[in-house]
Amino acid sequence: MISNQSNTQNGSEQKEKVSELAQTSLSKKTETITPEFESSIVNQLVTRFTDKVVQVVYVRPGRTKILVPPNEIVQVAKFLKDNLGFDHAESVSGTDYPKDNQIEVIYHLSSYSDEKLSSHVLALSTRVDRNDSRLPTLIDLFKSTEYHERETFEMLGIYFEGHPRNERFLLPEDWADIPPLRKEFRIKGR
Amino acid sequence: MENLDQKFNETIKMGLEIVKETEEDRLMTLSVGPQHPGSGHFRFTIKVDGDYVVYCDPDPGYVHRGEEKMCEYRNFIQNIPHLERPVIHDSTNITYSYSLAVEELTNIQVPLRGQYIRALASELNRQVYTLYWLGIYGIFLGHSTMFMWPVGDRELFIDLLEALTGARVTHAFNIPGGVRNDMPEGFKERCLRQVAYFEKRLDEYEDIFYNNPLFRQRTEGVGILTKEDAIKLGVTGSVLRASGIPFDVRKAEPYDIYNEIDFKVQYMKTGDSFARSMVPFLDMRESCQIIRQLLDKMPQSGEVRAKLQPNPKGPAGESYKRVESGRGALGYYIVSDGTPKPYRVKLSVGSFRNILALPYLLIGSKLADMPSIYWSLNYWPVEADR
């Protein structure tokens, strides 16, 4: 009954190349090397949406980051899922920037079904106003964001419109303070 | 097997709407944990209709420590000892990806021997974690021998790690730039001897536990997670590999020296509790091979850690690095603003990702299957809460 079938996955020449690139880019510390596969993903995004919508933050071997406005995030995510093969979110996190009066929300997307993409993590980020932090949820496209978005809601106070449960998850039920990962929340004694 | 979307909608509906009065008499609400001996510091509420579970709502957070916030107050090196607290049985792996991310941010090169020793420590530590998990899985299903044996054999690897790192459980061994110290004399021989003994023991485990008809009856065909659902839910580690997807970070995106190691990604296709309990076992076998190769290919001498600045810092930037831990991909997303302290640290841990599968698997199954489904998800409550 044990279907112990193992997989060798030998065709990793490309991955080795990528890791070599990673090392060289680190050691030389130059941004000149732009990996082909990663930039092709970004180029598809920029041609589909304009470069006004999709801002490329960086393209590194295995890692890409794009910045989109909040009202376009659903369309971009839909394109990423349907046309480029990203099928799950590894994490959803937020970073507070009080100086800009903004909070950045980052979705780290990756793929299990497409082998080429399995070594790749794309960071889809957007920035919302700190005082009116509302975002459309991506739960309909990526179910794996459900608990991550709930955590982002309580930790940074981002309200995900359309999410079925913007509720407490990790914090105590009687938590009556500001969201703790915002920068003005200070740990006592520090 | 119901459609996932349908199941999802039903879950939400039942959670948000008040159950009708007529139904209230039929359904019984049970609270599992946080004092339950097996659930760990974790609670989930279930509603049962007779023998069948119709509703499940996980409620983590009983051991939330605010690790991510704590990181913002300490510099990159000071963060190491407290970051391994979420999962002390796998403390080398949880600091591994942190070290990788900090190395990218601060542009530190790790010496080759340091990379090998680091991988060796993380493989040994994975064994420690998996054996502990297996012991609890055994006692969960009433198989007390399977509790005694793994916990006993776990001591072998703990002794090895104690000789290597100086501490039994929380090692703080991986640091940005390499490992804290070199291997002691005679460690290679000792390690090989114990791995050989352990491989014999693994055969005995298979005989007494995995081929046990009682264990098979309780796990085979229970809590099936199909390949499509596993992708949709974004589960990771052994849960993912049990559903037929051969994804392992060590293979998909080799870090340090893993592209020089020859090993197979172990996976199964059935996606039931049995597969989810078998995959970590197969991983332990594979890990023994990896340990042998690491000891073999390791350079005989050389530096094990790079020389660091007193307060290492790099230019402003960000990094996302992941490794394969005992519970799947473990990622760190670190944002640095150019100071010695990180601006933001986010842990994307396997436990937190896998627990999303719990409601989907429990709803519609029998209450008696709850232990075998819950613990097969390889869930570590403290790690999920961070």
Side-chain angles (χ1 to χ4, degrees):
Chain A
M1 292 289 261
I2 310 168
S3 60
N4 173 18
Q5 292 180 5
S6 35
N7 189 8
T8 43
Q9 284 192 335
N10 273 329
S12 58
E13 281 180 25
Q14 196 198 352
K15 283 163 200 163
E16 281 174 16
K17 259 184 204 168
V18 168
S19 65
E20 273 175 32
L21 278 173
Q23 284 173 0
T24 46
S25 77
L26 265 182
S27 56
K28 285 177 186 168
K29 204 81 184 90
T30 47
E31 296 288 322
T32 46
I33 305 162
T34 42
E36 280 176 31
F37 177 64
E38 282 77 0
S39 37
S40 77
I41 294 173
V42 174
N43 288 341
Q44 281 185 57
L45 275 168
V46 176
T47 31
R48 169 66 181 78
F49 306 89
T50 52
D51 55 353
K52 271 182 191 170
V53 174
V54 176
Q55 290 177 48
V56 182
V57 182
Y58 58 74
V59 179
R60 289 180 208 152
R63 299 283 183 275
T64 322
K65 187 178 180 185
I66 53 170
L67 180 67
V68 297
N71 51 348
E72 300 279 350
I73 189 165
V74 177
Q75 275 77 32
V76 176
K78 197 165 166 29
F79 183 77
L80 285 169
K81 191 192 176 193
D82 296 341
N83 298 42
L84 296 178
F86 288 92
D87 56 20
H88 72 279
E90 284 205 353
S91 91
V92 181
S93 55
T95 315
D96 189 13
Y97 293 102
K99 277 178 195 164
D100 309 340
N101 198 28
Q102 277 176 331
I103 295 175
E104 189 179 59
V105 178
I106 307 111
Y107 292 82
H108 284 99
L109 306 176
S110 189
S111 178
Y112 290 138
S113 39
D114 191 348
E115 252 189 48
K116 257 189 170 180
L117 280 174
S118 62
S119 65
H120 192 89
V121 179
L122 183 134
L124 169 67
S125 67
T126 183
R127 282 180 174 236
V128 287
D129 191 17
R130 273 181 111 235
N131 305 322
D132 182 28
S133 48
R134 282 165 182 277
L135 263 185
T137 176
L138 294 190
I139 194 171
D140 301 325
L141 294 163
F142 300 103
K143 267 212 174 94
S144 38
T145 59
E146 184 184 348
Y147 289 167
H148 291 288
E149 279 186 351
R150 232 174 119 179
E151 191 201 346
T152 312
F153 164 74
E154 64 172 359
M155 293 295 174
L156 285 136
I158 312 259
Y159 188 85
F160 288 93
E161 280 165 343
H163 192 287
R165 299 179 79 178
N166 281 302
E167 291 173 17
R168 296 258 173 277
F169 199 47
L170 295 177
L171 291 178
E173 281 159 32
D174 56 351
W175 179 262
D177 210 329
I178 56 170
L181 278 178
R182 290 207 178 191
K183 288 286 175 189
E184 65 257 37
F185 182 88
R186 307 294 293 177
I187 299 179
K188 274 176 195 163
R190 283 264 177 184
Chain B
M1 189 72 196
E2 269 182 296
N3 186 7
L4 183 76
D5 293 318
Q6 210 181 325
K7 220 176 191 183
F8 176 79
N9 289 336
E10 278 169 19
T11 315
I12 299 305
K13 219 170 150 187
M14 290 195 74
L16 292 182
E17 286 179 9
I18 304 161
V19 184
K20 287 175 193 166
E21 273 183 36
T22 46
E23 279 184 338
E24 218 165 47
D25 299 334
R26 273 183 61 186
L27 302 183
M28 186 163 73
T29 309
L30 292 175
S31 180
V32 186
Q35 291 94 357
H36 188 270
S39 71
H41 317 282
F42 172 63
R43 186 179 82 123
F44 52 102
T45 320
I46 50 179
K47 287 197 168 107
V48 286
D49 183 357
D51 256 356
Y52 289 89
V53 181
V54 294
Y55 170 74
C56 169
D57 182 27
D59 177 21
Y62 285 87
V63 271
H64 174 68
R65 291 160 170 158
E67 292 284 346
E68 293 174 4
K69 188 77 182 175
M70 267 150 65
C71 285
E72 293 170 12
Y73 289 82
R74 291 163 175 81
N75 69 31
F76 286 123
I77 302 293
Q78 285 171 329
N79 273 328
I80 293 275
H82 80 81
L83 273 177
E84 62 185 12
R85 302 311 296 187
V87 47
I88 54 172
H89 298 294
D90 204 3
S91 58
T92 312
N93 279 313
I94 199 167
T95 49
Y96 201 155
S97 42
Y98 176 78
S99 305
L100 289 175
V102 173
E103 279 153 18
E104 191 182 84
L105 284 170
T106 54
N107 197 21
I108 302 170
Q109 294 290 330
V110 183
L112 193 62
R113 189 173 161 84
Q115 293 185 17
Y116 271 98
I117 294 180
R118 183 190 258 188
L120 177 70
S122 93
E123 290 299 327
L124 291 171
N125 216 159
R126 198 193 325 280
Q127 305 278 39
V128 172
Y129 172 77
T130 314
L131 285 168
Y132 193 83
W133 167 83
L134 185 58
I136 294 188
Y137 198 46
I139 198 76
F140 233 63
L141 299 180
H143 197 302
S144 46
T145 309
M146 211 51 211
F147 175 69
M148 300 295 177
W149 283 11
V151 171
D153 288 339
R154 179 172 159 264
E155 287 296 316
L156 296 178
F157 290 104
I158 288 185
D159 286 347
L160 280 174
L161 280 164
E162 190 182 10
L164 182 64
T165 67
R168 273 172 57 85
V169 191
T170 46
H171 316 111
F173 190 54
N174 272 337
I175 49 166
V179 292
R180 243 172 234 289
N181 48 274
D182 207 339
M183 275 177 10
E185 227 168 89
F187 184 77
K188 185 180 171 182
E189 290 72 31
R190 192 177 161 190
C191 198
L192 287 173
R193 204 167 54 237
Q194 303 216 347
V195 166
Y197 167 76
F198 182 62
E199 278 188 323
K200 270 185 223 156
R201 288 289 284 172
L202 282 177
D203 295 337
E204 293 175 21
Y205 286 7
E206 194 164 6
D207 284 346
I208 202 174
F209 192 56
Y210 288 100
N211 291 336
N212 187 331
L214 284 175
F215 173 68
R216 290 211 152 193
Q217 265 178 14
R218 291 196 64 180
T219 50
E220 270 177 349
V222 169
I224 294 174
L225 184 68
T226 59
K227 195 174 174 178
E228 291 73 34
D229 290 359
I231 293 174
K232 252 189 189 174
L233 296 173
V235 293
T236 178
S238 56
V239 183
L240 179 74
R241 290 198 290 276
S243 292
I245 301 158
F247 178 86
D248 189 313
V249 184
R250 288 173 291 178
K251 227 9 161 200
E253 194 189 357
Y255 43 94
D256 277 1
I257 40 74
Y258 272 104
N259 48 8
E260 286 168 28
I261 306 296
D262 177 35
F263 70 102
K264 291 171 183 170
V265 178
Q266 301 291 343
Y267 75 107
M268 288 174 76
K269 288 181 175 169
T270 45
D272 54 358
S273 284
F274 182 72
R276 282 193 293 274
S277 62
M278 193 74 194
V279 167
F281 176 78
L282 298 171
D283 276 348
M284 281 201 283
R285 276 232 171 95
E286 206 59 46
S287 212
C288 290
Q289 298 299 329
I290 297 176
I291 290 170
R292 283 214 182 85
Q293 288 183 45
L294 285 168
L295 287 167
D296 230 32
K297 294 183 177 173
M298 189 181 290
Q300 290 309 308
S301 60
E303 291 288 309
V304 294
R305 62 193 276 192
K307 201 144 180 74
L308 294 185
Q309 304 283 328
N311 242 347
K313 62 179 177 184
E318 59 177 62
S319 172
Y320 183 81
K321 285 279 176 190
R322 48 186 184 168
V323 299
E324 185 74 22
S325 73
R327 299 151 308 287
L330 203 162
Y332 270 90
Y333 171 64
I334 303 181
V335 182
S336 165
D337 59 348
T339 56
K341 291 176 184 172
Y343 187 73
R344 170 87 167 94
V345 176
K346 159 87 185 170
L347 284 87
S348 168
V349 287
S351 304
F352 193 72
R353 291 168 63 186
N354 285 347
I355 203 58
L356 189 57
L358 183 71
Y360 298 100
L361 296 181
L362 270 189
I363 293 172
S365 67
K366 281 184 184 168
L367 181 62
D369 291 336
M370 188 267 291
S372 80
I373 290 176
Y374 168 60
W375 204 249
S376 73
L377 287 175
N378 216 337
Y379 179 69
W380 197 256
V382 198
E383 190 198 43
D385 291 357
R386 285 155 288 155

